[in-house]
């Protein structure tokens, strides 16, 4: 169940990140951005010692913020 859970969180977070930054991304692109964003957001919340309770909404927010940050930096590195 946790694998499916992370796919759902990753898809939603990646889709939101693509919308916020007005970029294109299909199913696979949203999934990859969202999953990487979840890792980035999780690491940032660990570094800043944020109290994340582990609920769906908390994890979705952390993954979305991480996905937006990752996508923003990725676009800057690629020169877009």
């Amino acid at each position: 169940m946790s694998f499916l859970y992370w796919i759902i969180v990753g898809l939603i977070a990646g889709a939101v990140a693509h919308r916020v930054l007005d970029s294109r991304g299909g199913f696979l692109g949203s999934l990859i951005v969202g999953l990487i964003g979840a890792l980035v957001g999780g690491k940032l919340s660990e570094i800043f010692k944020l109290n994340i309770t582990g609920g769906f909404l908390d994890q979705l927010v952390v993954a979305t913020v991480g996905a937006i940050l990752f996508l923003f930096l990725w676009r800057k590195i690629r020169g877009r």
Side-chain angles (χ1 to χ4, degrees):
M1 181 67 182
S2 70
F3 182 71
L4 180 61
Y5 179 80
W6 278 109
I7 288 177
I8 292 169
V9 169
L11 279 173
I12 295 170
V16 170
H18 281 294
R19 284 277 190 209
V20 168
L21 295 177
D22 194 32
S23 66
R24 296 184 310 181
F27 179 82
L28 188 58
S30 292
L31 179 62
I32 291 170
V33 168
L35 292 176
I36 292 172
L39 293 172
V40 170
K43 194 61 172 172
L44 287 175
S45 67
E46 195 177 289
I47 290 170
F48 291 115
K49 298 182 187 333
L50 299 176
N51 187 14
I52 306 299
T53 61
F56 178 76
L57 190 58
D58 290 343
Q59 292 177 355
L60 184 60
V61 168
V62 167
T64 302
V65 169
I68 291 170
L69 181 62
F70 168 72
L71 194 56
F72 176 79
L73 292 174
W74 179 257
R75 288 171 63 183
K76 290 297 179 188
I77 290 170
R78 294 194 65 208
R80 291 185 178 178

